[in-house]
Amino acid sequence: MNRDDMISERERRLGKAYRLFYEEPLEIVRGEGVWLYDAKGDRYLDCYNNVPHVGHCHPRVVSALCEQAKTLNTHTRYLHDNVLNLSRRLSQTMPEALDVTMFACTGSEANDLALRIARAKTGGTGIVVTEHAYHGNSRDIAAVSPAYPNFEGLGPHVRTVPAPDLFRGVYRGSDAGAGYARLVREAFADLSKYGHKPAALLIDSMLASDGSPTPPVDFLQLAAEATRAAGALYVADEVQPGFGRTGAAMWGFERYGARPDIVTLGKPMGNGHPISAMITSTEVIEPFSENTKYFNTFGGNPVSCAVALAVLDVLEEEQLLENARQVGEQLKLGLKSIQDRDDRIADVRGSGLFIAVELLHEGEPDVQSTVRIVEEMRRQGVLIGAASRDGNVLKIRPPMPFNAQHAEQFLDTFAGVIQRL
Ligand code: PMP
């Protein structure tokens, strides 16, 4: 079937709410490491996909999946070592006391569970999120996801705060962290005023859909203090920054010395296999557990847990955090030297293999150049994306085995594209 026919059949059979990437959508049929191959056999350098965290179709992960699938796949109503081993391994990477894990299949489900647990613990319903946050697609989570074009809108129990942004945000000075934390405190006060008792601050530790701005280093700690003072819990959404992507630490919140009450994991956890988790302490989970039962048919089954354990093994054995740190630095340095020659590139930021490039024209978001760069990079065989409220931030977030040669190829292509723009 040709591409146009596939596109129109897809629209009819899947409905129009689905979106495709690129003016010329890709039909990808195979992946290996950091490479994707289309139906014609053309190869693309994947600088976008964070789900195939340890590389597309990593043999170790595929083999763990196949071996366990050949042996047994049931659910969490029987005893099985895999689920305990995974819970143990994850809590070893978490701050002290965060040692209770509940498994699900998607980031949305993990966040949904986190908010239910926060409500049970605090007796409140009020949630604070950033202005362009995305936390998932269920009804309750869409209601706390301003980035989701959702006809039901944000809930009355939700308040937004500006994403802390030292480059173009409302506070940029040395006391910016305190300024942004004050906005969190005011948001909780407003919720209380309207009868919504505070329950949680839900925040993506990378602020990815806000365009991955650089926050003041003390923001998360101060915001967590303001949250607890309001009687609410701090929920760290690690669905994007987790599993070492930032190169600096296993979890995004660790970079700021913050200590969440609840952590949610997803996307990279199963390298493409659907598994997610919500991690918290015995103390926080108690009121929830006392009043309900939890079962998730597929969440935490023996195959999913085997896959997630293999991802953790590969991360360690291939030293992928260290790789993310080194190659991420190389990418940032290269992009900064391109920035010196091109004033449309206003800011290069990020950490490890999560890099954002903000484009401005005469001080305003340069959406047109952003879109053209993404499209032209795709034509040149390099896949990146765009994010932020205005859509003027390039998102560069390749699988973790992205190495120095891949970074060179990305930078050469990028320099050529931006020069011809
Ligand atoms: N949280 C964040 C920060 C995300 O980026 C996403 C997905 N883009 C989700 C939650 C939701 O995850 P899922 O699509 O697996 O439900």
Side-chain angles (χ1 to χ4, degrees):
M1 198 185 279
N2 73 34
R3 187 167 62 198
D4 290 346
D5 289 345
M6 271 180 110
I7 294 170
S8 55
E9 180 163 357
R10 192 183 124 106
E11 205 170 280
R12 186 166 58 78
R13 293 196 182 280
L14 276 64
K16 288 188 181 176
Y18 276 90
R19 296 288 185 277
L20 286 161
F21 279 157
Y22 306 118
E23 284 161 7
E24 295 169 47
L26 285 166
E27 186 191 357
I28 299 291
V29 295
R30 189 165 76 81
E32 187 180 353
V34 298
W35 298 102
L36 287 171
Y37 298 82
D38 71 8
K40 289 183 295 183
D42 288 336
R43 168 171 111 142
Y44 298 84
L45 182 63
D46 187 356
C47 303
Y48 179 77
N49 287 294
N50 59 334
V51 172
H53 195 54
V54 296
H56 289 277
C57 306
H58 193 290
R60 174 84 182 261
V61 177
V62 173
S63 144
L65 187 150
C66 294
E67 283 311 307
Q68 186 57 48
K70 276 193 248 170
T71 311
L72 174 78
N73 199 16
T74 50
H75 49 76
T76 46
R77 280 186 168 144
Y78 299 109
L79 294 170
H80 200 281
D81 268 344
N82 286 7
V83 72
L84 284 178
N85 287 340
L86 180 56
S87 171
R88 208 177 292 124
R89 286 279 290 277
L90 288 171
S91 63
Q92 279 163 3
T93 69
M94 288 282 157
E96 184 101 39
L98 295 186
D99 57 2
V100 179
T101 318
M102 290 169 80
F103 294 100
C105 305
T106 67
S108 306
E109 282 183 314
N111 281 329
D112 192 88
L113 191 54
L115 294 190
R116 289 176 67 199
I117 288 165
R119 284 179 188 133
K121 176 70 181 165
T122 60
T125 54
I127 311 289
V128 175
V129 292
T130 56
E131 263 170 11
H132 200 65
Y134 181 77
H135 296 291
N137 59 25
S138 70
R139 190 171 183 275
D140 272 4
I141 300 301
V144 297
S145 295
Y148 193 32
N150 156 27
F151 63 91
E152 284 153 333
L154 289 189
H157 60 295
V158 183
R159 294 293 179 275
T160 62
V161 288
D165 176 1
L166 287 176
F167 178 57
R168 288 213 310 142
V170 286
Y171 301 114
R172 301 173 208 173
S174 56
D175 57 353
Y180 289 110
R182 189 170 56 246
L183 297 179
V184 171
R185 192 161 38 246
E186 287 169 8
F188 279 122
D190 193 57
L191 280 166
S192 299
K193 186 173 139 195
Y194 287 93
H196 305 288
K197 189 169 184 278
L201 171 71
L202 172 60
I203 194 152
D204 168 359
S205 314
M206 194 68 205
L207 302 161
S209 51
D210 285 286
S212 305
T214 309
V217 281
D218 54 353
F219 165 71
L220 268 184
Q221 278 192 37
L222 296 174
E225 271 171 32
T227 299
R228 290 185 187 117
L233 303 182
Y234 158 37
V235 182
D237 181 333
E238 288 286 334
V239 169
Q240 291 218 32
F243 292 91
R245 172 146 297 273
T246 65
M250 187 71 166
W251 309 110
F253 61 79
E254 287 181 272
R255 297 194 297 144
Y256 306 108
R259 194 206 174 287
D261 300 295
I262 303 180
V263 183
T264 56
L265 319 179
K267 287 181 185 284
M269 186 170 175
N271 216 47
H273 184 87
I275 178 164
S276 68
M278 183 295 309
I279 301 185
T280 188
S281 63
T282 306
E283 190 206 331
V284 166
I285 205 153
E286 219 159 60
F288 177 83
S289 312
E290 267 170 22
N291 291 307
T292 190
K293 290 179 183 161
Y294 179 75
F295 179 58
N296 187 312
T297 303
F298 302 117
N301 70 55
V303 171
S304 303
C305 290
V307 169
L309 283 164
V311 169
L312 291 174
D313 288 342
V314 176
L315 271 177
E316 266 175 41
E317 281 163 24
E318 298 185 10
Q319 300 178 3
L320 293 177
L321 263 75
E322 181 56 19
N323 183 68
R325 200 182 59 70
Q326 281 178 18
V327 181
E329 275 313 300
Q330 179 190 350
L331 279 171
K332 264 205 306 201
L333 279 176
L335 283 165
K336 282 186 173 157
S337 82
I338 299 170
Q339 178 185 19
D340 293 340
R341 310 194 291 270
D342 196 306
D343 59 12
R344 281 167 297 193
I345 303 182
D347 194 31
V348 174
R349 57 186 181 241
S351 178
L353 287 172
F354 204 136
I355 290 175
V357 177
E358 179 155 358
L359 288 112
L360 296 178
H361 178 66
E362 294 174 353
E364 293 301 316
D366 188 352
V367 185
Q368 203 189 352
S369 297
T370 311
V371 172
R372 282 173 61 201
I373 292 170
V374 171
E375 294 294 341
E376 197 46 38
M377 292 291 281
R378 172 246 177 272
R379 285 189 195 99
Q380 304 287 322
V382 177
L383 306 182
I384 58 172
S388 88
R389 187 191 55 207
D390 297 310
N392 67 320
V393 177
L394 297 170
K395 185 149 123 183
I396 300 148
R397 196 192 47 178
M400 295 281 275
F402 201 77
N403 67 25
Q405 289 83 43
H406 304 135
E408 284 294 313
Q409 181 181 339
F410 166 83
L411 290 167
D412 286 350
T413 312
F414 188 78
V417 164
I418 198 127
Q419 200 180 11
R420 286 192 302 276
L421 206 65

